[in-house]
Amino acid sequence: MPPERELAQQLDVSRPSLRQAISLLESRALVVIRKGGTFIAPILDDTFAAYLLKLMRDDPESTNDYLEFRSGIDGMAAFLAASRSSDIDRQMIAEAFQAMERAHLRAVPDEEAEADTRFHQSLYDAGHNVVMLQIMCGLSGVLRHDVHSNRTKLYTRKGLREILLEQHRAIHDAIMTQDGPAARDAAQSHVSFTRAALTEIDRTDARLEMALRRFAEAE
Amino acid sequence: MPETADKPPYPETLAALFQAHPESAFDYLEFRLTIARMAARLAAERATEEDRAAMTRAFQALCKAHETHAGDAENQTDAEFHLSIYKACHNAVMAFIMGTLISMQRRNVFYDRKRLYHQEGARQEGAREILMQQHRALYDAIMARDGAAASEAAETHIRYANATLRESVETQRRLQVSIRRRRRADNPDGGPFGDPPASGRRPRKKP
């Protein structure tokens, strides 16, 4: 956060009132005061992140679990976004989708994966449910690396890229016409498809690896 | 997350954020509605014999707490019963997230659980019975491995909690209005809200 003097000016309050407000926020664990200044506390603490990361490392099924969980949540997010988004929310979803289309044309997997993440984020925002928003932002924040590498894995596949773009278009269109059930179905089947595709890719990779090993042994 | 004496088993900043916004109670129940439906179906389809035994133990503990009118034990066994369902889904991410949220609610982060049980007068017993019936319907459907019925029972349960909480908030709001009206009647000179004057002393009436 900016230094006290600056913040007091910005908010047009006296410095004693500001100090009182900050100490209230500190007592609620919403800000942390350290030598270098005042910081906004991380929403999810290290214990939570560490536990989740360990879970993902130790359990080979956890990516599958994450996507199964997400198929339910993203369905809800799309439903809520279709039924209660404001004009501004819908504009931001449209912009996120346009960014996906641009990335698709440039065909850079890394950029496509990033635009994909942003699109889903815009759905959580437009759902206006703070519990869903905080939990999903927390999850995707902690799992940033895994999620990004999985998405990149998908976008490097020819054929898959087109399907994924069309699935996102279906979600986008249903939200624009404010059709909740259609948005939920589109989002649910998109995440379920992603889950099946990733499972298939991993299986193929494992088979290829085995074949290569056999080939090397025969040499 | 493992629970330790000094630190609650959830991110405290997140809990503080929710606590600062009472309306997050309804977001919590909305979020749970989706997950509880999914979890009930998955538990019905996937529970192993071990999971079924654990759910049965949790359900029996809940029944016992209900019968003995053990208020706090009823709340805790209620939470344990729902946790045993999440564990039977064999989805580690869901079990972790819902475990975190339930441990927040165990400490009344989203709303005071008494609001679901302890309603006004005669309705209190009714609410306890209804909740117990809903738990039994959920348990029976999962044990019968009937995914659709389990999902429906979970939805009924959460929708009821949502409606009860909404009613409780409305009752509180109406009570505040009555209090203001009463004050206004008692202090006709006390301004638009009937508050006593700032000095704290009532204006002396002329004899």
Side-chain angles (χ1 to χ4, degrees):
Chain A
M1 283 182 7
E4 196 180 282
R5 188 205 302 257
E6 220 173 279
L7 194 59
Q9 258 172 13
Q10 265 181 34
L11 299 173
D12 196 21
V13 293
S14 72
R15 287 175 72 168
S17 322
L18 180 66
R19 228 169 283 153
Q20 213 180 337
I22 287 179
S23 89
L24 184 69
L25 290 174
E26 192 196 15
S27 72
R28 289 192 191 160
L30 292 172
V31 301
V32 185
I33 299 171
R34 276 194 233 114
K35 250 188 232 155
T38 308
F39 300 88
I40 294 166
I43 288 289
L44 299 173
D45 55 16
D46 296 345
T47 330
F48 180 91
Y51 189 90
L52 190 60
L53 283 172
K54 186 174 160 0
L55 191 86
M56 300 301 279
R57 299 265 143 75
D58 295 353
D59 185 352
E61 281 293 304
S62 54
T63 300
N64 201 28
D65 289 352
Y66 169 67
L67 287 170
E68 180 175 74
F69 184 63
R70 259 197 52 203
S71 71
I73 305 289
D74 283 29
M76 164 167 62
F79 178 86
L80 296 178
S83 33
R84 57 167 81 131
S85 56
S86 63
D87 294 348
I88 300 168
D89 295 324
R90 282 196 297 282
Q91 197 181 339
M92 289 180 81
I93 293 172
E95 282 167 20
F97 182 67
Q98 285 153 15
M100 286 192 77
E101 284 182 308
R102 281 197 301 277
H104 182 78
L105 286 177
R106 291 154 57 97
V108 183
D110 206 46
E111 275 179 34
E112 289 187 85
E114 191 58 42
D116 186 330
T117 305
R118 292 244 175 83
F119 179 77
H120 285 276
Q121 181 62 51
S122 73
L123 300 187
Y124 300 138
D125 288 339
H128 291 277
N129 177 315
V130 290
V131 177
M132 173 177 79
L133 183 66
Q134 292 299 337
I135 292 292
M136 296 321 283
C137 289
L139 268 179
S140 57
V142 174
L143 306 176
R144 199 179 313 121
H145 183 73
D146 292 10
V147 170
H148 187 76
S149 81
N150 280 334
R151 284 207 165 111
T152 312
K153 225 192 259 180
L154 293 169
Y155 280 106
T156 42
R157 306 271 155 158
K158 277 229 166 63
L160 261 188
R161 297 178 54 237
E162 286 72 22
I163 296 173
L164 289 172
L165 185 68
E166 288 318 305
Q167 288 178 346
H168 286 101
R169 190 189 306 282
I171 301 171
H172 164 270
D173 291 353
I175 292 173
M176 292 305 138
T177 55
Q178 304 185 330
D179 183 343
R184 179 182 52 215
D185 292 348
Q188 247 169 16
S189 56
H190 160 60
V191 180
S192 300
F193 173 85
T194 304
R195 184 171 150 224
L198 273 175
T199 310
E200 191 50 44
I201 289 173
D202 287 347
R203 205 178 292 153
T204 316
D205 283 356
R207 229 180 278 142
L208 180 66
E209 210 170 291
M210 215 196 301
L212 285 174
R213 213 178 305 140
R214 227 178 280 137
F215 183 72
E217 278 164 13
E219 279 290 283
Chain B
M1 282 195 290
E3 183 153 8
T4 50
D6 54 328
K7 210 184 157 314
Y10 50 75
E12 286 172 273
T13 308
L14 186 59
L17 191 75
F18 290 148
Q19 251 167 337
H21 297 274
E23 64 279 11
S24 68
F26 295 105
D27 286 359
Y28 166 68
L29 288 171
E30 184 174 77
F31 185 78
R32 253 192 81 187
L33 179 63
T34 299
I35 307 301
R37 282 186 48 124
M38 182 171 157
R41 182 173 52 78
L42 293 179
E45 289 167 1
R46 295 183 183 164
T48 61
E49 284 311 315
E50 221 171 277
D51 298 326
R52 291 164 67 84
M55 285 187 284
T56 300
R57 274 196 304 278
F59 181 68
Q60 283 165 352
L62 175 60
C63 291
K64 203 173 147 211
H66 177 76
E67 280 156 22
T68 53
H69 289 256
D72 188 53
E74 193 164 1
N75 293 343
Q76 298 307 324
T77 50
D78 184 337
E80 287 295 336
F81 174 59
H82 286 289
L83 274 177
S84 74
I85 296 174
Y86 289 120
K87 280 181 190 152
C89 295
H90 294 269
N91 181 318
V93 175
M94 181 158 76
F96 171 59
I97 295 294
M98 296 319 287
T100 303
L101 289 178
I102 284 182
S103 57
M104 282 188 191
Q105 183 46 36
R106 269 181 137 158
R107 299 194 188 188
N108 292 333
V109 164
F110 296 104
Y111 54 87
D112 188 342
R113 230 186 151 85
K114 285 197 201 92
R115 288 185 143 192
L116 298 188
Y117 285 109
H118 299 190
Q119 298 207 2
E120 298 295 309
R123 292 181 57 197
Q124 179 180 326
E125 258 323 281
R128 283 183 69 246
E129 285 311 317
I130 290 170
L131 284 168
M132 195 61 225
Q133 277 165 18
Q134 290 173 350
H135 283 132
R136 185 178 300 281
L138 178 58
Y139 171 75
D140 288 346
I142 292 174
M143 285 298 137
R145 301 189 196 277
D146 185 342
S151 168
E152 208 168 294
E155 175 161 354
T156 306
H157 181 52
I158 306 291
R159 281 200 192 282
Y160 177 80
N162 187 67
T164 310
L165 191 64
R166 187 70 77 186
E167 180 57 34
S168 161
V169 169
E170 282 300 299
T171 305
Q172 283 287 329
R173 194 187 56 78
R174 285 191 287 261
L175 180 63
Q176 290 307 318
V177 173
S178 315
I179 290 171
R180 278 206 300 274
R181 200 172 289 140
R182 173 85 260 174
R183 262 204 227 131
R184 208 155 50 219
D186 293 348
N187 298 286
D189 308 325
F193 298 106
D195 294 324
S199 71
R201 218 180 293 156
R202 282 166 178 239
R204 202 161 293 176
K205 283 198 178 117
K206 285 176 190 147

